[in-house]
Amino acid sequence: MLKLRSSGLSCGVCANFQIPIPRCFMNSITTSSIDVKPKVPLYLRPPSFSASLSELTKWHKWAKNLASSVGSSFINLDNGPDSTLLRRELNWLLQDLVELQHRSVILSKLESGNNENPDVSVALRAPLEEIYCVWRQRIEKRRPFQYVVGCEHWRDLVLSVQEGVLIPRPETEVIIDLVEGVALNNAPELAQGFWADLGTGSGAIAIATARALATHAHGDACGRVIATDLSPVAVAVATSNVQRYGLQDVVEVRKGSWFEPLKDVQGKLAGVLSNPPYIPSGDISGLQAEVGQHEPILALDGGISGTNDLLHLIDGVASMLKPGGFFAFETNGEKQCKFLVEYIENEKPSSFRDMNIVSDFAGIQRFVMGFRR
């Protein structure tokens, strides 16, 4: 998260990225119904509120003191954030809160303690009372910062997130690296096919995959992505993110469990990707409070050994992929990776080829990938 937030994308309008759609793909997938209205991230709200500089200064001082009071207590408790990280988050919150035109001046005054013109009005994207509330929730309830501001920075994307939607992690970016560096480099024709992102959450993998397919496409032939999720909140949020990046003609979000919404493309998929629930049930209570107490258990709990959904995906992907199709799944790491590879070799020896275990940024073996024979 630190790396992503320092990229300079914390404020501003997302790119309206468009991908040309070949005629043969037009209207081949129907749009799924959405029954949940996603929340608007703080940085995308209009600056419809205001507070005096003195009022904002008072809040800022209170918020910094609250962050500083944490010290290293959260780290000692469950490896949570320390005061240094919380103060950095406070700066990010301010960047999203204050309107763009005078942001740099206002932030400079707050940091320097400049009391000149204390009555000047500052345009804000949310009322100060709400910001008092959400910052108290961040510290006292350990509410994830991404839920506080309503977005997460992932690769070159700014994705809406909210309660009920898993927050995308930096390590999951490796899946897109595998799509580009392994699948599309070794089999460029896969860039023209249908791909699936199962358990899409915020739509991160689906959106990034669609952009990768566009980059590797030849002529007008460009692939498409179907994203599935059982959660209506995730379906709504993912659909909103897809629309904000102008990819609604390339990425379709379908509500349903794993392969169930994909019967019309069985045996036709060029790629299947997923970051499924993989944490053993007994480990949930020991997770960092921001995760275990706030993020959706549906997206975390993988059963007793953490492999329930991973095994379901392995069992189903062979019939969903076309010959030469690619798959990549994220796991809890190390033992789960080796278990899955052994399972494939023993139970489905004729289904896949070129299987491999890939490490994440920290060197932990986390991803299992391969091709359909």
Side-chain angles (χ1 to χ4, degrees):
M1 183 176 63
L2 303 184
K3 170 176 71 70
L4 297 172
R5 267 285 178 169
S6 63
S7 65
L9 290 173
S10 61
C11 308
V13 179
C14 295
N16 190 22
F17 191 89
Q18 299 280 355
I19 292 180
I21 307 300
R23 291 184 178 180
C24 61
F25 286 153
M26 282 293 194
N27 301 320
S28 59
I29 303 179
T30 57
T31 304
S32 58
S33 60
I34 305 300
D35 53 8
V36 176
K37 185 176 182 179
K39 299 177 182 177
V40 178
L42 180 60
Y43 85 102
L44 286 178
R45 300 181 198 174
S48 305
F49 304 90
S50 64
S52 69
L53 180 58
S54 62
E55 291 173 328
L56 190 60
T57 300
K58 179 181 178 182
W59 169 81
H60 187 236
K61 182 178 180 179
W62 167 83
K64 282 203 300 185
N65 289 338
L66 196 59
S68 297
S69 69
V70 169
S72 59
S73 59
F74 292 167
I75 289 183
N76 298 332
L77 181 64
D78 57 16
N79 199 32
D82 63 3
S83 287
T84 300
L85 175 56
L86 289 170
R87 286 194 295 267
R88 189 176 296 124
E89 290 181 354
L90 178 58
N91 289 334
W92 294 335
L93 175 58
L94 274 168
Q95 290 176 34
D96 287 0
L97 174 65
V98 178
E99 58 89 19
L100 181 61
Q101 185 177 1
H102 301 105
R103 179 182 297 140
S104 59
V105 174
I106 297 300
L107 296 186
S108 177
K109 287 180 178 292
L110 291 175
E111 285 301 320
S112 65
N114 188 336
N115 293 321
E116 183 181 350
N117 299 323
D119 295 328
V120 67
S121 180
V122 181
L124 306 175
R125 302 184 187 279
L128 205 53
E129 299 81 30
E130 177 183 329
I131 303 304
Y132 268 105
C133 180
V134 296
W135 189 248
R136 187 181 295 278
Q137 290 174 349
R138 174 68 188 109
I139 306 298
E140 297 180 358
K141 301 295 184 181
R142 302 283 300 275
R143 186 184 179 201
F145 177 74
Q146 293 87 342
Y147 290 164
V148 168
V149 295
C151 68
E152 172 62 315
H153 298 250
W154 192 82
R155 289 181 75 88
D156 56 345
L157 303 171
V158 186
L159 299 163
S160 297
V161 292
Q162 65 187 61
E163 279 80 358
V165 177
L166 187 74
I167 299 166
R169 268 58 171 185
E171 58 265 26
T172 306
E173 295 179 17
V174 173
I175 288 183
I176 309 305
D177 295 335
L178 295 177
V179 170
E180 294 187 298
V182 178
L184 300 182
N185 273 353
N186 292 329
E189 69 277 6
L190 295 180
Q192 302 174 19
F194 284 107
W195 288 66
D197 170 23
L198 307 180
T200 193
S202 65
I205 292 175
I207 293 170
T209 298
R211 293 165 63 134
L213 297 180
T215 301
H216 288 76
H218 298 285
D220 291 334
C222 178
R224 297 188 67 177
V225 182
I226 307 171
T228 71
D229 205 294
L230 185 61
S231 164
V233 178
V235 169
V237 170
T239 300
S240 176
N241 282 323
V242 167
Q243 293 172 344
R244 192 150 45 83
Y245 278 93
L247 295 172
Q248 58 269 23
D249 292 328
V250 186
V251 180
E252 187 208 7
V253 186
R254 298 183 180 183
K255 184 177 182 298
S257 177
W258 302 127
F259 299 106
E260 288 178 3
L262 301 175
K263 294 178 182 178
D264 58 324
V265 290
Q266 184 169 353
K268 302 176 183 178
L269 291 175
V272 175
L273 312 170
S274 184
N275 174 23
Y278 52 62
I279 298 175
S281 301
D283 293 348
I284 298 294
S285 61
L287 294 174
Q288 189 182 89
E290 281 83 354
V291 180
Q293 296 178 18
H294 294 277
E295 295 198 65
I297 295 298
L298 183 68
L300 299 172
D301 193 338
I304 294 176
S305 66
T307 59
N308 285 4
D309 295 292
L310 284 163
L311 287 174
H312 179 73
L313 292 176
I314 292 295
D315 287 339
V317 73
S319 65
M320 298 302 298
L321 286 173
K322 66 181 183 180
F326 175 80
F327 78 89
F329 300 146
E330 183 172 331
T331 78
N332 201 28
E334 307 291 346
K335 292 182 180 180
Q336 282 190 3
C337 283
K338 295 175 183 177
F339 171 77
L340 288 178
V341 171
E342 290 176 0
Y343 178 81
I344 293 172
E345 291 175 343
N346 293 330
E347 301 296 326
K348 302 179 183 300
S350 61
S351 296
F352 302 102
R353 61 172 173 83
D354 299 330
M355 287 182 301
N356 199 7
I357 294 174
V358 180
S359 298
D360 63 16
F361 300 134
I364 298 172
Q365 294 182 328
R366 187 170 298 280
F367 305 92
V368 174
M369 51 147 283
F371 291 86
R372 181 80 167 90
R373 288 189 186 276

